[in-house]
Amino acid sequence: MEIIIQATQQAANEVAARIVARLLHEKPNAVLGLATGSTPLGLYQALIGMNLDWSQVTTFNLDEYIGLPREHPQSYHSFMWENLFQHVNIAKENVHIPDGNAEDIPKFCAAYEDQIRTAGGIDLQVLGIGTDGHIGFNEPTSSLASRTRIKTLTQQTCKDNARFFGSEEAVPKHVITMGIGTIMEARQNLLLAFGDNKSSAIAEAVEGPITSINPASALQMHPLVKVCLDDPAASKLQRADYYRWVYDNKPAWQIF
Ligand code: PGA
């Protein structure tokens, strides 16, 4: 894992945006895995500001609530169009977001996995992390080999997401999410985390044992992961000084 710690969220987002932009320059028809929630908003704003060419880009989103109408303001369909897709020249047919209203959820999930494979696999997957260590909506004790499927959210995640829905009760309890196994097949993962409330989850994911109790810790087994943090999210990392040292001493060709 490459841990990139920046003083501010904005600085960390700028690094993350340069990583994505480099990929799109090198591979204009890249397949991106995308995330929702508060975390990737700054990255998406930075990418919009870069005026990149998205005309050949294909995207797959990590997850979606089950049962929310697609037009609901808190659906991840609405989120993605509002915060990224309507601002870039992406082709609508290249956008893939799980269908939380699919009649046959297991069949839909298997087809989603097929679509990812048919597209050539995900080149770069953007990830946030839950306060409980979830990536996508793979809650603690998710199988580390899991694929796209239905999950039931933890009470903690419902509490965390109540801010978007006005109350905890209004948060849908079920979601479709790519599995940890799906995420592990992305060629590169880019995990973002900001704020002190993510510091424990990040410390466990980066420096703790690999365990399904912190699903993000599975990324320790992935060959290419970058973790972009602001200082507060990095505050519980025991080796933060080492990670800063590594970043400050990168060979020129490795600098984003
Ligand atoms: P957040 O959620 O970005 O809204 O903090 C992260 C997550 O649940 O993965």
Side-chain angles (χ1 to χ4, degrees):
M1 279 182 168
E2 181 173 354
I3 316 302
I4 300 168
I5 304 170
Q6 299 286 296
T8 63
Q9 187 170 330
Q10 189 182 339
N13 276 322
E14 282 165 11
V15 174
R18 289 201 295 276
I19 293 167
V20 177
R22 178 183 283 192
L23 172 67
L24 297 195
H25 283 306
E26 287 172 0
K27 188 174 181 186
N29 62 347
V31 178
L32 294 180
L34 297 176
T36 50
S38 312
T39 303
L41 282 173
L43 167 64
Y44 296 158
Q45 279 158 18
L47 290 173
I48 292 164
M50 287 172 152
N51 285 321
L52 302 165
D53 179 12
W54 291 70
S55 61
Q56 299 177 65
V57 174
T58 297
T59 64
F60 287 90
N61 263 76
L62 281 168
D63 44 20
E64 177 61 289
Y65 293 109
I66 289 182
L68 271 196
R70 196 175 275 224
E71 305 71 35
H72 189 285
Q74 295 306 331
S75 81
Y76 289 162
H77 278 81
S78 299
F79 178 100
M80 288 309 301
W81 282 97
E82 188 179 326
N83 294 301
L84 179 62
F85 296 146
Q86 69 171 342
H87 305 285
V88 296
N89 65 334
I90 194 160
K92 203 171 174 198
E93 60 273 19
N94 290 350
V95 168
H96 304 86
I97 303 172
D99 179 3
N101 294 293
E103 246 173 60
D104 184 334
I105 302 266
K107 190 170 162 198
F108 173 84
C109 292
Y112 200 67
E113 292 272 339
D114 282 345
Q115 283 183 308
I116 294 173
R117 262 190 295 274
T118 305
I122 291 170
D123 290 300
L124 182 149
Q125 175 68 56
V126 176
L127 297 168
I129 186 170
T131 56
D132 59 6
H134 70 225
I135 48 175
F137 269 134
N138 294 283
E139 297 285 30
T141 71
S142 286
S143 160
L144 299 186
S146 51
R147 311 302 306 194
T148 302
R149 69 208 184 292
I150 185 172
K151 281 296 287 182
T152 305
L153 297 181
T154 60
Q155 284 176 294
Q156 180 62 49
T157 299
C158 292
K159 276 194 182 64
D160 289 346
N161 287 1
R163 68 191 194 279
F164 298 119
F165 287 86
S167 74
E168 200 182 315
E169 293 66 44
V171 181
K173 306 284 175 291
H174 297 107
V175 295
I176 293 175
T177 181
M178 281 187 206
I180 307 278
T182 323
I183 292 168
M184 291 293 281
E185 281 176 9
R187 292 184 190 92
Q188 180 173 183
N189 275 290
L190 178 59
L191 174 63
L192 312 177
F194 309 120
D196 180 59
N197 65 328
K198 300 292 174 71
S199 59
S200 297
I202 283 293
E204 286 169 17
V206 173
E207 296 178 336
I210 296 169
T211 166
S212 64
I213 294 293
N214 180 310
S217 65
L219 294 169
Q220 294 177 32
M221 294 291 289
H222 190 281
L224 192 52
V225 180
K226 293 186 177 69
V227 183
C228 289
L229 306 172
D230 63 0
D231 276 342
S235 59
K236 292 200 172 74
L237 288 169
Q238 289 181 14
R239 293 180 175 255
D241 289 346
Y242 167 62
Y243 309 136
R244 290 190 175 95
W245 165 261
V246 170
Y247 189 71
D248 290 343
N249 290 284
K250 272 174 155 322
W253 59 270
Q254 271 196 339
I255 295 172
F256 315 113

